[in-house]
Amino acid sequence: MTRAVEHEYDVVVLGAGPVGENVVDRARAAGLTTAVVEGELVGGECSYWACMPSKALLRPAIARSDARKVPGLARAVQGPLDAEAVLAHRDYYVSDWKDEGAVGWLDSIGARLYRGHGRLDGTRRVSVEGPEGERHLLTARHAVAVCTGSRAALPDLPGLTGARPWTSREATSSHHVPDRLVVVGGGVVAAEMATAWQALGSRVTLLVRGSGLLPRMEPFVGEHVADALAEAGAEVRTNVSVAAVVRDGGTGPVTVVLEGGEQIEGDEVLFATGRRPRTEDIGLETVGLEPGSWLPVDDSLLVAGSDWLYAVGDVNHRALMTHEGKYQARIAGAAIVARAQGRGTDTGRWGAHAATADHAAVPQVVFTDPEAAAVGLSLAEAERSGRRVRAVDLDLTNVAGAGLYAHGYRGHARMVVDLDSETVVGVTFVGPGIGELLHSATIAVVGEVPIDRLWHAVPAYPTLSEAWLRLLEAYRDGGAAE
């Protein structure tokens, strides 16, 4: 066996996705020497198989849908999408699955990249086996950050492995449009990919185990999205469970067998049934942790019981979204620097050493048609927390900007108010074009802006932002703005 070459750095980062990149950036900006280990592409899941390719696939679908609701334009956009052009556009945004640009950025900030499989090897140590069998042993003077993310979780079903199912990776990187696509799941990936591939020409059947789509959001969100998918031609079936998958020889059509024996045939099947951490083979056992587990952390992203090991992004299971992982990375980077400089983490500009947004102020946009967006607590979550709350609902057709945005506009908004503090603790929107409304809601929730101050944040007329005025009026008047 080749003897490992030893190196020492201030900080060693496992994983060069967006989360790892942000930890590296903060450490290098403070002058700490930093190494990052990556076994796949620098840029990670979001850049090549998640956020960027999925949104590149979805944008043409949503733009066409919006245009079809605009008088004077609708007749011009009744034809099908140019699938070849959409897929080429997707390929451009993932740099054809090449990472030279991301590697160049790491070089530009002076971070050292080690290609290969990295594993913890005891306290403050990481071993790396490179693609040619070369071995390195990296020692961190101050911190090791695990930023290895998550991967799709597949259920244990008869026949599934041999059926070559799509996961989120195949769904965002396929170079062919299947005639028939069966989607198993009811969450964000399932809803977004059903939207994209239906628009590209697939006949989509969506199989949802629960009673509706997007169950982590307010119930009306899933209803709007399911209705729109059905109108677009997809079949949405709820309260169904898959018992087995059959695909002879791993080629040709795939048959999904439901509990009860019903069979549904497709050309591809996508399982969007959750995520699991990429921690099964990163040496957790060498530091007393369980391989394959989520890693609990404090608000500085320090792993419980450690003074040097950080877990940032999906691996800590706090909020499995890229923007939240990058937020955590900025916090972790600031905390690592402060501890390395002997300053502790009790003080810091902008409250930089404590991640609090991923407790009760997580913003999320679901890029379906219609879009869905939420931040903070749903009504049910707020009630379970013991707060004394009131929800105010708004039919978005009552907003002047909605009718101008699209003929026959349909959408809904809900604001959840803490009655004791009279601050907004949660906001949810569903409707065309509402994703850009979310940051105003996020500021209201994170800033704990009193309702009587929000009255003086005047929305421009006629825009969708006027939803805020209607929600506040309904709260004042004690009723819903229906």
Side-chain angles (χ1 to χ4, degrees), residues 10 14 26 43 63 66 77 81 97 112 119 124 131 136 185 232 239 254 300 352 354 357-358 400 416 455:
D10 292 322
L14 271 177
R26 290 302 189 271
D66 285 350
V77 288
L81 291 175
W97 290 276
R112 173 65 191 274
R119 303 180 83 256
R124 293 187 175 85
H136 300 273
N239 298 307
V254 59
S300 70
D358 50 13
V416 181
W455 269 110

Side-chain angles (χ1 to χ4, degrees), residues 186-188 208 212-219 222:
V188 174
V208 185
L213 293 178
L214 303 169
R216 298 194 178 198
M217 304 180 89
E218 299 281 11

Side-chain angles (χ1 to χ4, degrees), residues 378-438:
S378 67
L379 175 59
E381 289 169 336
E383 289 175 339
R384 284 196 298 269
S385 73
R387 290 174 170 84
R388 206 169 58 88
V389 295
R390 180 174 147 225
V392 178
D393 287 279
L394 170 66
D395 180 343
L396 287 174
T397 59
N398 290 329
V399 175
L404 292 169
Y405 188 95
H407 179 69
Y409 189 103
R410 287 180 291 176
H412 194 93
R414 171 172 288 175
M415 178 176 72
V416 181
V417 178
D418 184 306
L419 294 173
D420 293 318
S421 64
E422 287 219 309
T423 59
V424 179
V425 295
V427 183
T428 300
F429 303 103
V430 62
I434 53 74
E436 297 300 336
L437 284 180
L438 187 61

Side-chain angles (χ1 to χ4, degrees), residues 128-277:
V128 184
E129 183 174 346
E132 304 299 325
E134 67 275 23
R135 296 177 64 241
H136 300 273
L137 183 61
L138 314 180
T139 299
R141 282 185 283 267
H142 298 295
V144 174
V146 176
C147 308
T148 49
S150 64
R151 58 164 51 90
L154 289 173
D156 184 15
L157 290 174
L160 183 58
T161 302
R164 295 186 298 106
W166 279 9
T167 67
S168 54
R169 282 198 168 195
E170 290 77 19
T172 57
S173 63
S174 175
H175 281 92
H176 78 281
V177 179
D179 288 336
R180 300 164 300 172
L181 175 64
V182 181
V183 180
V184 181
V188 174
V189 172
E192 288 190 345
M193 290 298 94
T195 299
W197 290 105
Q198 178 71 35
L200 285 166
S202 293
R203 297 194 303 277
V204 171
T205 302
L206 187 56
L207 305 176
V208 185
R209 185 170 58 181
S211 59
L213 293 178
L214 303 169
R216 298 194 178 198
M217 304 180 89
E218 299 281 11
F220 59 78
V221 172
E223 294 168 7
H224 275 264
V225 174
D227 288 348
L229 278 168
E231 289 176 11
E235 182 180 2
V236 182
R237 299 185 59 179
T238 57
N239 298 307
V240 295
S241 294
V242 176
V245 180
V246 179
R247 192 175 213 166
D248 293 337
T251 61
V254 59
T255 300
V256 177
V257 183
L258 303 183
E259 289 185 358
E262 183 182 355
Q263 298 184 0
I264 299 172
E265 191 173 90
D267 297 289
E268 300 289 353
V269 58
L270 162 63
F271 274 80
T273 49
R275 308 287 295 178
R276 61 186 177 88

Side-chain angles (χ1 to χ4, degrees), residues 444-461:
V445 172
V446 173
E448 299 178 356
V449 182
I451 290 287
D452 61 2
R453 288 301 303 154
L454 284 177
W455 269 110
H456 302 285
V458 181
Y461 180 89

Side-chain angles (χ1 to χ4, degrees), residues 243-327:
V245 180
V246 179
R247 192 175 213 166
D248 293 337
T251 61
V254 59
T255 300
V256 177
V257 183
L258 303 183
E259 289 185 358
E262 183 182 355
Q263 298 184 0
I264 299 172
E265 191 173 90
D267 297 289
E268 300 289 353
V269 58
L270 162 63
F271 274 80
T273 49
R275 308 287 295 178
R276 61 186 177 88
R278 288 176 172 268
T279 60
E280 66 277 5
D281 188 25
I282 62 167
L284 290 182
E285 69 279 1
T286 71
V287 294
L289 298 170
E290 181 182 351
S293 64
W294 303 102
L295 300 176
V297 295
D298 67 13
D299 281 350
S300 70
L301 291 309
L302 195 63
V303 172
S306 176
D307 63 357
W308 60 274
L309 183 62
Y310 293 75
V312 193
D314 282 10
V315 290
N316 61 43
H317 208 229
R318 285 163 71 114
L320 277 65
M321 284 167 273
T322 297
H323 49 275
E324 287 295 317
K326 292 165 70 173
Y327 161 74

